[in-house]
Amino acid sequence: MKNQGVLEDKLNPLKGVSGTFRPGVLTALMGSTGAGKTTSMDVLAGRKTGGYIGGNITISGYPKKQETFARISGYCEHNDIHSPHVTVYQSLLYSAWLRL
């Protein structure tokens, strides 16, 4: 990337990213390949284990507490099993059971 004129040593795909979600409403995060969708969800879900994570994560203006956030949110990854024969709720519940 330095050959293409990028001067920074670290990429910042989530720099300046913010968003809102309505309680009780299923929300889809969509964007082009490499836009940082999976990275942002991994960071929010507390599943990002490598690399550098910096900045502030706030929920409703308060610093995110992982134990609280995990109770109020659900997240299915790319490699989770998704069946067209079950509801979204059932898919989230199954993904949660697999992680316990």
Side-chain angles (χ1 to χ4, degrees):
M1 292 187 54
K2 295 222 184 237
N3 294 338
Q4 297 179 8
V6 177
L7 302 176
E8 294 86 17
D9 289 332
K10 297 181 211 173
L11 293 176
N12 260 334
L14 303 177
K15 183 176 182 179
V17 171
S18 65
T20 59
F21 302 93
R22 290 180 45 206
V25 176
L26 176 66
T27 303
L29 182 61
M30 299 173 17
S32 62
T33 302
K37 301 175 298 292
T38 302
T39 301
S40 62
M41 290 307 296
D42 284 345
V43 169
L44 279 176
R47 297 182 189 170
K48 196 72 175 162
T49 57
Y52 171 77
I53 300 170
N56 299 319
I57 300 173
T58 58
I59 309 294
S60 298
Y62 296 98
K64 183 189 106 175
K65 293 183 180 174
Q66 184 57 39
E67 60 276 1
T68 303
F69 187 74
R71 290 178 48 214
I72 63 169
S73 65
Y75 167 42
C76 289
E77 295 187 35
H78 295 267
N79 56 358
D80 285 349
I81 298 169
H82 302 289
S83 170
H85 305 290
V86 298
T87 65
V88 172
Y89 175 78
Q90 290 169 326
S91 290
L92 286 170
L93 193 61
Y94 184 68
S95 290
W97 282 340
L98 291 176
R99 297 201 190 313
L100 290 177

Coordinates of all heavy atoms in Angstrom, one line a residue:
M1 N 0.8 -1.2 0.0 CA 0.0 0.0 0.0 C 0.9 1.3 0.0 O 0.4 2.3 -0.5 CB -0.9 0.0 1.2 CG -2.0 -1.1 1.1 SD -3.3 -1.0 2.4 CE -3.8 0.6 2.3
K2 N 2.0 1.2 0.6 CA 2.9 2.3 0.6 C 3.3 2.7 -0.9 O 3.5 3.8 -1.2 CB 4.2 2.0 1.4 CG 3.8 1.9 2.9 CD 4.8 2.6 3.7 CE 4.5 2.3 5.2 NZ 4.3 3.4 6.0
N3 N 3.4 1.7 -1.7 CA 3.7 1.9 -3.1 C 2.6 2.7 -3.8 O 2.8 3.4 -4.8 CB 3.9 0.6 -3.9 CG 5.2 -0.1 -3.4 OD1 6.1 0.5 -2.8 ND2 5.2 -1.4 -3.6
Q4 N 1.4 2.6 -3.3 CA 0.3 3.3 -3.9 C 0.0 4.7 -3.2 O -1.0 5.3 -3.4 CB -1.0 2.5 -3.8 CG -0.8 1.2 -4.6 CD -2.1 0.3 -4.5 OE1 -3.1 0.7 -3.9 NE2 -2.0 -0.9 -5.0
G5 N 0.9 5.1 -2.3 CA 0.8 6.4 -1.7 C 0.2 6.5 -0.4 O 0.0 7.6 0.2
V6 N -0.1 5.4 0.3 CA -0.6 5.4 1.6 C 0.5 5.6 2.6 O 1.5 4.9 2.6 CB -1.4 4.1 2.0 CG1 -1.9 4.1 3.4 CG2 -2.5 3.9 1.0
L7 N 0.5 6.7 3.4 CA 1.6 7.1 4.3 C 1.4 6.4 5.7 O 2.4 6.3 6.4 CB 1.6 8.6 4.4 CG 1.8 9.3 3.1 CD1 1.8 10.8 3.3 CD2 3.1 8.9 2.4
E8 N 0.2 6.1 6.1 CA 0.0 5.6 7.5 C 0.6 4.2 7.6 O 0.6 3.4 6.6 CB -1.5 5.6 7.8 CG -2.0 7.0 7.9 CD -2.5 7.5 6.6 OE1 -2.7 6.7 5.7 OE2 -2.7 8.7 6.5
D9 N 1.0 3.8 8.8 CA 1.4 2.5 9.1 C 0.2 1.5 9.4 O 0.3 0.3 9.3 CB 2.4 2.4 10.3 CG 3.7 3.0 9.9 OD1 4.1 3.0 8.7 OD2 4.4 3.6 10.8
K10 N -0.8 2.1 9.9 CA -2.0 1.4 10.3 C -3.2 1.9 9.5 O -3.4 3.1 9.3 CB -2.4 1.6 11.8 CG -1.3 1.1 12.7 CD -1.8 1.3 14.2 CE -0.6 1.5 15.1 NZ -1.0 1.9 16.4
L11 N -4.1 0.9 9.1 CA -5.3 1.3 8.5 C -6.3 1.7 9.6 O -6.3 1.1 10.6 CB -5.9 0.2 7.6 CG -5.0 -0.2 6.4 CD1 -5.7 -1.4 5.7 CD2 -5.0 1.0 5.4
N12 N -7.2 2.6 9.3 CA -8.3 3.0 10.2 C -9.6 2.9 9.5 O -10.3 3.9 9.2 CB -8.1 4.5 10.6 CG -7.4 4.6 11.9 OD1 -7.6 3.8 12.8 ND2 -6.8 5.8 12.1
P13 N -10.1 1.7 9.2 CA -11.3 1.5 8.5 C -12.6 2.1 9.2 O -13.6 2.4 8.6 CB -11.5 0.0 8.2 CG -10.7 -0.6 9.3 CD -9.6 0.4 9.6
L14 N -12.5 2.2 10.5 CA -13.6 2.6 11.3 C -13.5 4.0 11.9 O -14.3 4.5 12.7 CB -13.9 1.7 12.5 CG -14.1 0.2 12.1 CD1 -14.2 -0.7 13.3 CD2 -15.2 0.0 11.2
K15 N -12.5 4.8 11.3 CA -12.3 6.2 11.8 C -13.5 7.0 11.5 O -14.0 7.1 10.4 CB -11.1 6.8 11.1 CG -10.7 8.2 11.6 CD -9.5 8.6 11.0 CE -9.1 10.0 11.5 NZ -7.9 10.5 10.9
G16 N -14.1 7.6 12.5 CA -15.2 8.5 12.4 C -16.6 7.8 12.1 O -17.5 8.5 11.7
V17 N -16.6 6.5 12.4 CA -17.9 5.8 12.2 C -18.8 5.9 13.4 O -18.3 5.8 14.5 CB -17.6 4.3 11.9 CG1 -18.8 3.5 11.9 CG2 -16.8 4.1 10.6
S18 N -20.0 6.2 13.1 CA -21.0 6.2 14.2 C -22.3 5.7 13.6 O -22.5 5.6 12.4 CB -21.2 7.7 14.8 OG -21.7 8.5 13.8
G19 N -23.2 5.4 14.5 CA -24.5 4.9 14.0 C -25.5 4.7 15.1 O -25.2 4.9 16.3
T20 N -26.8 4.5 14.7 CA -27.8 4.4 15.7 C -28.7 3.2 15.3 O -28.8 2.8 14.2 CB -28.7 5.6 15.8 OG1 -29.3 5.8 14.5 CG2 -28.0 6.8 16.3
F21 N -29.2 2.5 16.4 CA -30.1 1.4 16.2 C -31.3 1.5 17.0 O -31.2 2.0 18.2 CB -29.3 0.1 16.6 CG -28.1 -0.2 15.8 CD1 -26.8 0.3 16.3 CD2 -28.1 -0.8 14.6 CE1 -25.7 0.1 15.6 CE2 -26.9 -1.0 13.9 CZ -25.7 -0.6 14.4
R22 N -32.4 1.2 16.5 CA -33.7 1.3 17.3 C -33.9 0.0 18.0 O -33.8 -1.1 17.5 CB -34.9 1.6 16.3 CG -34.8 3.0 15.7 CD -36.0 3.3 14.8 NE -37.2 2.8 15.4 CZ -38.3 2.5 14.6 NH1 -38.2 2.6 13.3 NH2 -39.4 2.1 15.2
P23 N -34.3 0.1 19.3 CA -34.5 -1.1 20.1 C -35.6 -1.9 19.6 O -36.7 -1.4 19.1 CB -34.9 -0.5 21.5 CG -34.4 0.9 21.5 CD -34.4 1.4 20.1
G24 N -35.4 -3.2 19.5 CA -36.5 -4.1 19.1 C -36.6 -4.2 17.6 O -37.5 -4.9 17.1
V25 N -35.7 -3.6 16.8 CA -35.8 -3.6 15.4 C -34.6 -4.3 14.8 O -33.5 -3.9 15.1 CB -35.9 -2.1 14.8 CG1 -35.9 -2.1 13.3 CG2 -37.1 -1.4 15.3
L26 N -34.8 -5.3 13.9 CA -33.7 -6.0 13.3 C -33.0 -5.0 12.4 O -33.6 -4.3 11.6 CB -34.2 -7.1 12.5 CG -33.2 -7.9 11.7 CD1 -32.2 -8.6 12.6 CD2 -33.9 -8.9 10.8
T27 N -31.7 -4.9 12.5 CA -30.9 -3.9 11.7 C -29.9 -4.7 10.9 O -29.2 -5.5 11.4 CB -30.2 -2.9 12.6 OG1 -31.2 -2.3 13.4 CG2 -29.5 -1.9 11.8
A28 N -29.8 -4.4 9.6 CA -28.8 -5.0 8.7 C -27.7 -4.0 8.5 O -27.9 -2.8 8.2 CB -29.4 -5.4 7.4
L29 N -26.4 -4.4 8.6 CA -25.3 -3.6 8.3 C -24.8 -4.0 6.9 O -24.3 -5.1 6.7 CB -24.2 -3.8 9.4 CG -22.9 -3.0 9.3 CD1 -23.3 -1.5 9.4 CD2 -22.0 -3.4 10.4
M30 N -24.9 -3.0 6.0 CA -24.5 -3.3 4.6 C -23.5 -2.4 4.1 O -23.4 -1.3 4.6 CB -25.8 -3.3 3.8 CG -26.8 -4.2 4.2 SD -28.5 -4.1 3.4 CE -28.3 -3.2 2.0
G31 N -22.7 -2.9 3.2 CA -21.6 -2.0 2.6 C -20.8 -2.8 1.6 O -20.9 -4.1 1.5
S32 N -19.9 -2.2 1.0 CA -19.0 -2.8 0.0 C -17.9 -3.7 0.7 O -17.7 -3.5 1.9 CB -18.3 -1.8 -0.9 OG -17.5 -1.0 -0.1
T33 N -17.3 -4.6 0.0 CA -16.3 -5.4 0.5 C -15.1 -4.5 1.0 O -14.7 -3.6 0.4 CB -15.7 -6.3 -0.6 OG1 -16.8 -7.1 -1.1 CG2 -14.6 -7.2 -0.1
G34 N -14.6 -4.9 2.2 CA -13.5 -4.1 2.8 C -13.9 -2.8 3.5 O -13.0 -2.1 3.9
A35 N -15.2 -2.6 3.7 CA -15.7 -1.3 4.3 C -15.5 -1.3 5.8 O -15.7 -0.3 6.4 CB -17.1 -1.0 3.9
G36 N -15.4 -2.5 6.4 CA -15.2 -2.6 7.9 C -16.4 -3.1 8.6 O -16.5 -3.0 9.8
K37 N -17.4 -3.7 7.9 CA -18.6 -4.2 8.5 C -18.3 -5.3 9.6 O -18.7 -5.2 10.7 CB -19.6 -4.8 7.5 CG -20.0 -3.8 6.4 CD -20.8 -4.5 5.3 CE -20.1 -5.6 4.6 NZ -19.0 -5.2 3.7
T38 N -17.6 -6.3 9.2 CA -17.3 -7.4 10.1 C -16.4 -6.9 11.2 O -16.6 -7.3 12.4 CB -16.6 -8.5 9.3 OG1 -17.5 -9.0 8.3 CG2 -16.3 -9.7 10.2
T39 N -15.4 -6.1 10.9 CA -14.5 -5.5 11.9 C -15.3 -4.7 13.0 O -15.2 -4.9 14.2 CB -13.5 -4.6 11.3 OG1 -12.7 -5.4 10.4 CG2 -12.6 -4.0 12.4
S40 N -16.3 -3.9 12.5 CA -17.0 -3.1 13.5 C -17.9 -4.0 14.3 O -18.0 -3.8 15.5 CB -17.9 -2.0 12.7 OG -18.8 -2.6 11.9
M41 N -18.5 -5.0 13.8 CA -19.4 -5.9 14.5 C -18.5 -6.7 15.5 O -19.0 -7.0 16.6 CB -20.2 -6.8 13.6 CG -21.3 -6.0 12.9 SD -22.4 -5.0 13.9 CE -23.2 -6.3 14.9
D42 N -17.4 -7.2 15.1 CA -16.5 -7.9 16.0 C -16.0 -7.1 17.1 O -16.0 -7.6 18.3 CB -15.3 -8.4 15.2 CG -15.6 -9.6 14.3 OD1 -16.6 -10.2 14.5 OD2 -14.7 -9.9 13.4
V43 N -15.7 -5.8 16.9 CA -15.3 -4.9 18.0 C -16.5 -4.7 18.9 O -16.3 -4.8 20.2 CB -14.8 -3.6 17.4 CG1 -14.6 -2.6 18.5 CG2 -13.4 -3.8 16.7
L44 N -17.6 -4.4 18.4 CA -18.8 -4.2 19.3 C -19.1 -5.4 20.1 O -19.5 -5.4 21.3 CB -20.0 -3.8 18.4 CG -20.1 -2.4 18.0 CD1 -21.3 -2.2 17.1 CD2 -20.2 -1.5 19.2
A45 N -19.1 -6.6 19.5 CA -19.4 -7.9 20.1 C -18.3 -8.3 21.1 O -18.5 -9.3 21.8 CB -19.7 -8.9 19.1
G46 N -17.1 -7.7 21.0 CA -16.0 -8.1 21.9 C -15.3 -9.4 21.4 O -14.7 -10.1 22.2
R47 N -15.4 -9.6 20.1 CA -14.8 -10.9 19.5 C -13.5 -10.6 18.8 O -12.9 -11.5 18.4 CB -15.8 -11.5 18.5 CG -17.1 -12.0 19.2 CD -17.9 -12.6 18.2 NE -19.3 -12.9 18.8 CZ -20.3 -13.3 18.1 NH1 -20.2 -13.5 16.8 NH2 -21.4 -13.5 18.7
K48 N -13.1 -9.3 18.7 CA -11.9 -9.0 18.0 C -10.7 -9.3 19.0 O -10.6 -8.7 20.0 CB -11.9 -7.5 17.6 CG -10.9 -7.1 16.6 CD -11.3 -7.7 15.3 CE -10.3 -7.2 14.2 NZ -10.4 -8.0 13.0
T49 N -9.8 -10.2 18.6 CA -8.8 -10.6 19.5 C -7.4 -10.2 19.0 O -6.4 -10.2 19.8 CB -8.8 -12.2 19.6 OG1 -8.6 -12.7 18.3 CG2 -10.0 -12.6 20.3
G50 N -7.3 -9.8 17.7 CA -6.0 -9.4 17.2 C -6.0 -8.0 16.7 O -7.0 -7.3 16.6
G51 N -4.8 -7.5 16.4 CA -4.8 -6.1 15.8 C -4.8 -5.0 16.9 O -4.8 -5.3 18.1
Y52 N -5.0 -3.8 16.5 CA -5.0 -2.7 17.3 C -6.5 -2.1 17.4 O -7.1 -1.9 16.3 CB -4.1 -1.6 16.8 CG -4.2 -0.3 17.6 CD1 -3.7 -0.1 18.8 CD2 -4.9 0.8 17.0 CE1 -3.8 1.1 19.5 CE2 -5.0 2.0 17.7 CZ -4.5 2.1 18.9 OH -4.6 3.3 19.6
I53 N -7.0 -2.0 18.6 CA -8.3 -1.4 18.8 C -8.2 -0.2 19.6 O -7.7 -0.2 20.7 CB -9.3 -2.4 19.4 CG1 -9.4 -3.6 18.6 CG2 -10.7 -1.7 19.7 CD1 -10.2 -4.8 19.3
G54 N -8.5 1.0 19.1 CA -8.4 2.2 19.8 C -9.7 3.1 19.7 O -10.5 2.8 18.8
G55 N -9.8 4.1 20.5 CA -11.0 4.9 20.4 C -12.0 4.6 21.5 O -11.8 3.8 22.4
N56 N -13.1 5.3 21.5 CA -14.2 5.2 22.5 C -15.4 4.5 21.8 O -15.8 4.9 20.7 CB -14.6 6.6 23.0 CG -13.5 7.3 23.6 OD1 -12.7 6.7 24.4 ND2 -13.4 8.6 23.4
I57 N -15.9 3.6 22.5 CA -17.2 2.9 22.1 C -18.2 3.3 23.2 O -18.1 3.0 24.4 CB -17.0 1.4 22.0 CG1 -15.9 1.0 21.0 CG2 -18.4 0.8 21.7 CD1 -15.6 -0.5 21.0
T58 N -19.3 4.0 22.7 CA -20.3 4.4 23.6 C -21.7 3.8 23.2 O -21.9 3.7 22.0 CB -20.4 5.9 23.8 OG1 -20.6 6.5 22.5 CG2 -19.1 6.5 24.4
I59 N -22.5 3.5 24.1 CA -23.9 3.0 23.8 C -24.8 4.0 24.6 O -24.7 4.1 25.8 CB -24.1 1.6 24.3 CG1 -23.0 0.6 23.8 CG2 -25.5 1.1 24.0 CD1 -23.0 0.4 22.4
S60 N -25.6 4.7 23.8 CA -26.5 5.7 24.3 C -25.7 6.8 25.1 O -26.2 7.3 26.1 CB -27.6 5.1 25.2 OG -28.4 4.3 24.5
G61 N -24.5 7.1 24.7 CA -23.7 8.1 25.3 C -22.9 7.6 26.5 O -22.1 8.4 27.0
Y62 N -23.0 6.4 26.9 CA -22.3 5.8 28.0 C -21.2 4.8 27.5 O -21.4 4.2 26.5 CB -23.2 5.1 29.0 CG -24.2 6.0 29.6 CD1 -25.5 6.1 29.1 CD2 -23.9 6.8 30.7 CE1 -26.4 6.9 29.7 CE2 -24.8 7.6 31.3 CZ -26.1 7.7 30.8 OH -27.0 8.5 31.4
P63 N -20.1 4.7 28.2 CA -19.0 3.8 27.8 C -19.6 2.4 27.7 O -20.4 2.0 28.6 CB -18.0 3.9 28.8 CG -18.2 5.2 29.4 CD -19.6 5.5 29.3
K64 N -19.3 1.6 26.7 CA -19.8 0.3 26.5 C -19.3 -0.7 27.6 O -18.1 -0.7 27.8 CB -19.4 -0.3 25.1 CG -20.0 -1.7 24.9 CD -19.5 -2.3 23.6 CE -18.5 -3.3 24.0 NZ -17.9 -4.1 23.1
K65 N -20.2 -1.4 28.2 CA -19.8 -2.5 29.2 C -20.1 -3.8 28.5 O -21.3 -4.0 28.1 CB -20.5 -2.3 30.5 CG -20.1 -1.1 31.3 CD -20.9 -1.1 32.6 CE -20.5 0.1 33.4 NZ -21.3 0.3 34.6
Q66 N -19.1 -4.6 28.2 CA -19.3 -5.8 27.5 C -20.4 -6.7 28.0 O -21.2 -7.3 27.3 CB -18.0 -6.6 27.3 CG -18.1 -7.8 26.4 CD -18.6 -7.5 25.0 OE1 -18.3 -6.5 24.4 NE2 -19.4 -8.3 24.5
E67 N -20.4 -6.9 29.4 CA -21.3 -7.8 29.9 C -22.8 -7.3 29.7 O -23.7 -8.1 29.5 CB -21.1 -8.1 31.4 CG -21.1 -6.8 32.3 CD -19.8 -6.1 32.3 OE1 -18.8 -6.4 31.6 OE2 -19.7 -5.0 33.0
T68 N -23.0 -6.0 29.8 CA -24.3 -5.5 29.5 C -24.7 -5.6 28.0 O -25.8 -6.0 27.7 CB -24.4 -4.0 30.0 OG1 -24.0 -4.0 31.4 CG2 -25.8 -3.5 29.8
F69 N -23.7 -5.2 27.2 CA -24.0 -5.2 25.7 C -24.3 -6.6 25.2 O -25.2 -6.7 24.4 CB -22.8 -4.6 25.0 CG -23.0 -4.4 23.5 CD1 -23.9 -3.3 23.1 CD2 -22.5 -5.2 22.6 CE1 -24.1 -3.1 21.7 CE2 -22.7 -5.0 21.2 CZ -23.5 -4.0 20.8
A70 N -23.6 -7.6 25.7 CA -23.9 -9.0 25.3 C -25.3 -9.4 25.6 O -25.8 -10.3 24.9 CB -22.8 -9.9 25.9
R71 N -25.9 -8.9 26.7 CA -27.2 -9.3 27.1 C -28.3 -8.6 26.2 O -29.4 -9.1 26.1 CB -27.5 -8.9 28.5 CG -26.7 -9.8 29.5 CD -26.8 -9.4 30.9 NE -28.2 -9.2 31.3 CZ -28.7 -8.3 32.1 NH1 -27.9 -7.5 32.7 NH2 -30.0 -8.3 32.4
I72 N -28.0 -7.5 25.6 CA -29.0 -6.7 24.9 C -28.9 -6.8 23.3 O -29.6 -6.2 22.6 CB -29.1 -5.2 25.3 CG1 -27.8 -4.5 25.0 CG2 -29.4 -5.1 26.8 CD1 -27.8 -3.0 25.1
S73 N -27.9 -7.5 22.9 CA -27.6 -7.6 21.4 C -27.4 -9.0 21.0 O -27.0 -9.9 21.7 CB -26.4 -6.7 21.1 OG -25.3 -7.2 21.6
G74 N -27.6 -9.2 19.7 CA -27.3 -10.5 19.1 C -26.6 -10.3 17.8 O -26.8 -9.3 17.1
Y75 N -25.7 -11.2 17.4 CA -24.9 -11.0 16.2 C -24.5 -12.4 15.6 O -24.0 -13.3 16.3 CB -23.6 -10.3 16.6 CG -22.4 -10.3 15.6 CD1 -22.6 -10.1 14.3 CD2 -21.1 -10.4 16.1 CE1 -21.6 -10.1 13.4 CE2 -20.1 -10.4 15.2 CZ -20.3 -10.2 13.9 OH -19.2 -10.2 13.0
C76 N -24.9 -12.6 14.4 CA -24.6 -13.9 13.7 C -23.4 -13.6 12.7 O -23.5 -12.6 12.0 CB -25.7 -14.4 12.9 SG -27.1 -15.1 13.9
E77 N -22.4 -14.4 12.8 CA -21.2 -14.2 11.9 C -21.5 -14.8 10.5 O -22.4 -15.6 10.3 CB -20.0 -14.8 12.5 CG -19.6 -14.2 13.8 CD -18.3 -14.7 14.3 OE1 -17.4 -15.0 13.5 OE2 -18.1 -14.8 15.5
H78 N -20.6 -14.5 9.6 CA -20.6 -15.1 8.3 C -20.7 -16.6 8.3 O -21.4 -17.2 7.5 CB -19.4 -14.7 7.4 CG -19.3 -13.2 7.2 ND1 -19.8 -12.6 6.1 CD2 -18.7 -12.2 7.9 CE1 -19.5 -11.3 6.1 NE2 -18.9 -11.1 7.2
N79 N -19.8 -17.2 9.1 CA -19.7 -18.6 9.1 C -20.7 -19.4 10.0 O -20.6 -20.6 10.2 CB -18.2 -19.0 9.5 CG -17.8 -18.5 10.8 OD1 -18.6 -17.8 11.5 ND2 -16.6 -18.8 11.3
D80 N -21.6 -18.6 10.6 CA -22.7 -19.3 11.4 C -23.6 -20.0 10.4 O -23.7 -19.6 9.3 CB -23.4 -18.3 12.2 CG -22.7 -17.8 13.5 OD1 -21.6 -18.4 13.8 OD2 -23.1 -16.8 14.1
I81 N -24.3 -21.0 11.0 CA -25.2 -21.8 10.1 C -26.5 -21.0 10.0 O -27.1 -20.7 11.0 CB -25.4 -23.2 10.7 CG1 -24.2 -23.9 10.8 CG2 -26.5 -23.9 10.0 CD1 -24.2 -25.2 11.6
H82 N -26.9 -20.7 8.8 CA -28.1 -20.0 8.5 C -29.0 -20.8 7.7 O -28.6 -21.3 6.6 CB -27.9 -18.6 7.8 CG -27.0 -17.7 8.6 ND1 -27.3 -17.1 9.7 CD2 -25.7 -17.4 8.4 CE1 -26.3 -16.4 10.2 NE2 -25.3 -16.5 9.4
S83 N -30.2 -21.1 8.2 CA -31.2 -21.9 7.4 C -32.4 -21.1 7.0 O -32.9 -20.3 7.8 CB -31.6 -23.1 8.3 OG -32.7 -23.8 7.7
P84 N -32.8 -21.3 5.8 CA -34.1 -20.6 5.4 C -35.3 -21.1 6.1 O -36.4 -20.5 5.9 CB -34.1 -20.8 3.9 CG -33.4 -22.1 3.7 CD -32.3 -22.1 4.7
H85 N -35.2 -22.2 6.8 CA -36.4 -22.8 7.5 C -36.6 -22.3 8.9 O -37.5 -22.9 9.6 CB -36.2 -24.3 7.4 CG -36.0 -24.8 6.0 ND1 -37.0 -24.8 5.1 CD2 -34.9 -25.3 5.4 CE1 -36.5 -25.3 3.9 NE2 -35.3 -25.6 4.1
V86 N -35.8 -21.4 9.4 CA -35.9 -20.9 10.8 C -36.0 -19.4 10.8 O -35.6 -18.7 9.8 CB -34.7 -21.4 11.7 CG1 -34.7 -22.9 11.8 CG2 -33.4 -20.8 11.2
T87 N -36.5 -18.9 11.9 CA -36.7 -17.4 12.0 C -35.3 -16.8 12.3 O -34.4 -17.4 12.7 CB -37.7 -17.0 13.0 OG1 -37.2 -17.5 14.3 CG2 -39.1 -17.7 12.8
V88 N -35.3 -15.4 12.2 CA -34.1 -14.7 12.6 C -33.8 -14.9 14.1 O -32.7 -15.1 14.6 CB -34.2 -13.2 12.3 CG1 -33.1 -12.4 12.9 CG2 -34.3 -13.0 10.8
Y89 N -34.9 -14.9 14.9 CA -34.8 -15.1 16.4 C -34.2 -16.5 16.6 O -33.3 -16.6 17.5 CB -36.1 -15.0 17.0 CG -36.1 -15.3 18.5 CD1 -35.6 -14.4 19.4 CD2 -36.5 -16.6 19.0 CE1 -35.6 -14.7 20.8 CE2 -36.5 -16.9 20.3 CZ -36.0 -16.0 21.2 OH -35.9 -16.3 22.6
Q90 N -34.6 -17.5 16.0 CA -34.1 -18.8 16.2 C -32.6 -18.9 15.8 O -31.8 -19.6 16.4 CB -34.9 -19.9 15.4 CG -36.3 -20.1 15.9 CD -37.2 -20.9 15.0 OE1 -37.1 -20.7 13.8 NE2 -38.1 -21.7 15.6
S91 N -32.2 -18.2 14.7 CA -30.8 -18.2 14.3 C -30.0 -17.6 15.3 O -28.9 -18.0 15.6 CB -30.7 -17.5 12.9 OG -31.2 -18.2 11.9
L92 N -30.4 -16.4 15.9 CA -29.7 -15.7 16.9 C -29.5 -16.6 18.2 O -28.5 -16.7 18.8 CB -30.3 -14.4 17.2 CG -30.1 -13.3 16.2 CD1 -31.0 -12.1 16.6 CD2 -28.7 -12.9 16.1
L93 N -30.6 -17.2 18.5 CA -30.6 -18.1 19.7 C -29.7 -19.3 19.5 O -28.9 -19.6 20.4 CB -32.1 -18.6 20.0 CG -32.3 -19.2 21.3 CD1 -32.1 -18.3 22.5 CD2 -33.8 -19.7 21.4
Y94 N -29.7 -19.9 18.4 CA -28.8 -21.0 18.1 C -27.3 -20.5 18.1 O -26.5 -21.2 18.7 CB -29.1 -21.6 16.7 CG -28.3 -22.8 16.4 CD1 -28.5 -24.0 17.1 CD2 -27.4 -22.8 15.3 CE1 -27.7 -25.1 16.8 CE2 -26.6 -23.9 15.0 CZ -26.8 -25.1 15.8 OH -26.1 -26.2 15.4
S95 N -27.0 -19.4 17.5 CA -25.7 -18.8 17.5 C -25.2 -18.6 19.0 O -24.1 -18.8 19.4 CB -25.6 -17.6 16.7 OG -25.7 -17.8 15.4
A96 N -26.1 -18.1 19.8 CA -25.8 -17.8 21.2 C -25.5 -19.1 22.0 O -24.6 -19.2 22.7 CB -26.9 -17.0 21.9
W97 N -26.3 -20.1 21.7 CA -26.1 -21.4 22.4 C -24.7 -22.0 22.0 O -24.0 -22.6 22.8 CB -27.2 -22.4 22.0 CG -28.5 -22.2 22.7 CD1 -28.7 -21.5 23.9 CD2 -29.7 -22.7 22.3 NE1 -30.0 -21.6 24.2 CE2 -30.7 -22.3 23.3 CE3 -30.2 -23.4 21.2 CZ2 -32.0 -22.6 23.2 CZ3 -31.5 -23.7 21.1 CH2 -32.4 -23.3 22.1
L98 N -24.3 -21.8 20.7 CA -23.1 -22.4 20.3 C -21.9 -21.6 21.0 O -20.8 -22.2 21.2 CB -22.9 -22.2 18.8 CG -23.8 -23.1 17.9 CD1 -23.6 -22.8 16.5 CD2 -23.5 -24.6 18.2
R99 N -22.1 -20.4 21.4 CA -21.0 -19.6 22.0 C -20.9 -19.8 23.5 O -19.9 -19.4 24.1 CB -21.2 -18.1 21.7 CG -21.1 -17.9 20.2 CD -20.8 -16.5 19.8 NE -21.0 -16.3 18.4 CZ -20.5 -17.0 17.4 NH1 -19.9 -18.1 17.6 NH2 -20.7 -16.7 16.1
L100 N -21.9 -20.4 24.1 CA -21.9 -20.6 25.6 C -20.9 -21.7 26.0 O -20.7 -22.6 25.3 CB -23.3 -20.9 26.1 CG -24.2 -19.7 26.1 CD1 -25.6 -20.1 26.5 CD2 -23.7 -18.5 26.9

